[in-house]
Amino acid sequence: MCTRNLVRKYCRGISAERKAMMQQKVVTSEIFRGKKEGYAESLNQLFAGSRLDESNINPKVLQLLGSEKIQYGVPVIKYDRKGFKARQRQLLLTQRSAYLVELSKVKQKIEYAAVRGVSTSSLSDGILVIHISPADKQQKLAATPPSPQGDVILQCEHIFEVATKLAMLIRKEHTVRVVQGSLQFYVSPGREGTIVFETGEEDQVYKDKNGQLRVVSAGKKT
């Protein structure tokens, strides 16, 4: 009874922000515990509300988002599906959509209704693949008519944090996959690509001779 009272007192004293972070950590455990390198080391690290302040986001982008409040923002690297060129982007998550931003431009908008799943590797590479339903036209490129697009390949720090927040916002925590070895991604109608994950002496991401994206991980990251 004494223990219950202490627990009750502790729970009542937790701030709303702290409670939300703890709830996110529970989701992270359900997705990654025992499946991904670096998970155990991430346990004692609190999630941030965001990795980007509004001062880090171009005012034109904030104006374009209008009334959509940013729930989370983080710098990412986006890899093209064809050729795998690396591009610096900001990933901004709102209640309804994810946005990929380059400087003052919204390069890509992904409505959560179009997301059919999220994949990461079992290693510590920080790769995150957002799978888009090919038949859905809700993924849009800025300043162009709606058109179906392929999956989105990203790399980011704080992978547990990013994947958890995205999964909770799309309300599809059960669709987050942790894969070993390789995964297939949708490039365009009738065409798929492959990402190969492996360990090595140093971190590398490159297009190999077979035309696959090869991701080499050297160690644990959180």
Side-chain angles (χ1 to χ4, degrees):
M1 186 175 294
C2 180
T3 301
R4 288 181 180 178
N5 287 335
L6 288 172
V7 171
R8 188 179 296 112
K9 183 178 180 181
Y10 174 78
C11 291
R12 287 177 176 174
I14 294 176
S15 67
E17 182 180 5
R18 175 82 174 185
K19 182 178 179 181
M21 293 300 175
M22 291 177 69
Q23 289 171 334
Q24 291 175 21
K25 282 287 190 175
V26 171
V27 174
T28 307
S29 175
E30 293 172 350
I31 296 172
F32 293 109
R33 182 163 54 91
K35 299 177 182 178
K36 185 171 178 65
E37 271 189 13
Y39 170 73
E41 290 77 10
S42 75
L43 290 175
N44 62 351
Q45 299 180 20
L46 292 178
F47 286 166
S50 179
R51 297 291 172 175
L52 292 172
D53 295 327
E54 282 201 0
S55 61
N56 303 129
I57 302 169
N58 192 285
K60 291 183 179 179
V61 172
L62 296 174
Q63 186 176 10
L64 286 170
L65 295 185
S67 61
E68 285 197 75
K69 184 179 179 181
I70 297 173
Q71 303 296 313
Y72 179 76
V74 65
V76 298
I77 298 173
K78 175 186 176 292
Y79 292 95
D80 292 348
R81 294 183 301 278
K82 300 176 182 179
F84 304 123
K85 182 176 180 178
R87 303 180 186 274
Q88 297 288 336
R89 295 284 188 266
Q90 290 179 337
L91 174 65
L92 306 180
L93 306 180
T94 71
Q95 284 289 354
R96 295 181 294 179
S97 306
Y99 294 86
L100 284 169
V101 172
E102 179 187 25
L103 300 177
S104 62
K105 297 180 180 179
V106 174
K107 300 295 288 185
Q108 202 163 9
K109 175 183 178 181
I110 308 166
E111 295 188 9
Y112 297 146
V115 177
R116 59 185 175 87
V118 177
S119 294
T120 70
S121 84
S122 60
L123 302 177
S124 57
D125 43 65
I127 292 292
L128 180 78
V129 179
I130 304 174
H131 301 285
I132 309 297
S133 176
D136 202 311
K137 295 187 177 183
Q138 296 193 61
Q139 183 185 7
K140 307 169 185 178
L141 292 175
T144 64
S147 59
Q149 301 293 321
D151 294 343
V152 178
I153 307 168
L154 305 176
Q155 186 176 33
C156 53
E157 295 185 16
H158 314 289
I159 183 66
F160 299 107
E161 178 179 283
V162 178
T164 299
K165 289 177 183 287
L166 177 60
M168 293 181 72
L169 284 167
I170 66 176
R171 301 181 186 278
K172 296 179 181 178
E173 294 96 327
H174 63 285
T175 64
V176 178
R177 298 187 307 143
V178 181
V179 303
Q180 295 183 353
S182 66
L183 70 81
Q184 302 295 118
F185 65 92
Y186 177 76
V187 177
S188 58
R191 183 180 175 187
E192 287 190 332
T194 302
I195 304 176
V196 178
F197 302 101
E198 62 185 21
T199 57
E201 294 184 357
E202 60 180 340
D203 294 336
Q204 296 183 74
V205 180
Y206 63 94
K207 181 179 179 181
D208 67 18
K209 62 182 181 181
N210 296 318
Q212 302 171 326
L213 182 63
R214 190 164 294 271
V215 181
V216 183
S217 176
K220 297 180 179 180
K221 304 177 186 65
T222 57

